[in-house]
């Protein structure tokens, strides 16, 4: 599937913000960028902790920032993992949190670089989600 320039631009925002990741334990930086229906952007990075289980992924940081700013009309999300040499998809916990706030057709683009991107959508990475099933 052809990836629109809007989504590639969004990915580049995720790539840029990934530099701000706090990842001294894994050295695996992740950046996320959410595009809102009004055209604005909210970004986030992974924030690790020496108590490893307290780590917050980039996707959830971005979502929680957006909700804190009363921004909830999510049009798309991009995730950049510049320290990988292959595209890394959102973890299971993030898929659950994404499903709370995104429609089943919301585009998700992820990759290690803009030359190797995967375009998918929420219903593909999180099928049979109870929230969306119940909404039918
Ligand atoms: N991580 C994310 O931020 N998002 C993902 O989708 C995958 C994993 C972070 C968590 C941890 O800080 C590091 O990547 C290594 O797992």
């Amino acid at each position: 599937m052809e990836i629109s320039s809007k989504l590639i631009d969004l990915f580049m925002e995720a790539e840029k913000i990934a530099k701000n990741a706090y990842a001294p334990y894994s050295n695996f930086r992740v950046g996320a960028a959410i595009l809102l229906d009004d055209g604005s952007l909210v970004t986030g990075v992974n924030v690790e902790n020496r108590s490893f289980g307290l780590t917050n992924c980039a996707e959830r940081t971005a979502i929680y920032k957006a909700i804190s700013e009363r921004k909830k009309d999510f049009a798309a999300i991009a995730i950049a993992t510049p320290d990988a040499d292959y595209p890394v998809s959102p973890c299971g916990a993030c898929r659950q949190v994404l499903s709370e706030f995104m429609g089943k057709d919301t585009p998700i683009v992820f990759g290690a670089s803009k030359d190797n991107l995967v375009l998918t959508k929420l219903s593909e990475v999180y099928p049979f989600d109870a929230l969306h099933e119940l909404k039918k």
Side-chain angles (χ1 to χ4, degrees):
M1 205 194 305
E2 181 75 20
I3 304 184
S4 69
S5 61
K6 196 171 76 174
L7 287 177
I8 295 175
D9 288 351
L10 188 65
F11 175 80
M12 285 162 72
E13 294 294 333
E15 210 173 26
K16 224 185 288 169
I17 203 72
K19 295 188 172 66
N20 293 351
Y22 178 76
Y25 304 104
S26 70
N27 289 313
F28 191 83
R29 298 166 300 171
V30 186
I34 296 171
L35 178 67
L36 283 295
D37 281 348
D38 66 4
S40 63
L41 274 187
V42 179
T43 56
V45 298
N46 52 330
V47 182
E48 298 188 343
N49 192 275
R50 63 189 181 282
S51 176
F52 295 168
L54 297 180
T55 290
N56 205 64
C57 293
E59 296 90 323
R60 280 177 288 142
T61 302
I63 291 169
Y64 298 154
K65 276 175 67 184
I67 296 300
S68 306
E69 294 169 17
R70 301 181 74 87
K71 294 183 168 187
K72 56 175 181 44
D73 298 318
F74 297 163
I77 184 167
I79 303 139
T81 52
D83 298 319
D85 50 12
Y86 55 91
V88 175
S89 67
C91 79
C94 287
R95 292 176 196 209
Q96 169 70 19
V97 175
L98 288 170
S99 79
E100 186 74 28
F101 299 108
M102 292 183 171
K104 64 182 179 49
D105 294 319
T106 305
I108 299 174
V109 63
F110 60 88
S113 81
K114 73 176 174 33
D115 304 317
N116 188 8
L117 293 178
V118 174
L119 172 62
T120 181
K121 57 184 181 176
L122 185 66
S123 61
E124 276 173 1
V125 298
Y126 203 53
F128 304 108
D129 163 41
L131 180 65
H132 295 110
E133 292 293 311
L134 288 170
K135 273 190 180 164
K136 273 186 188 163

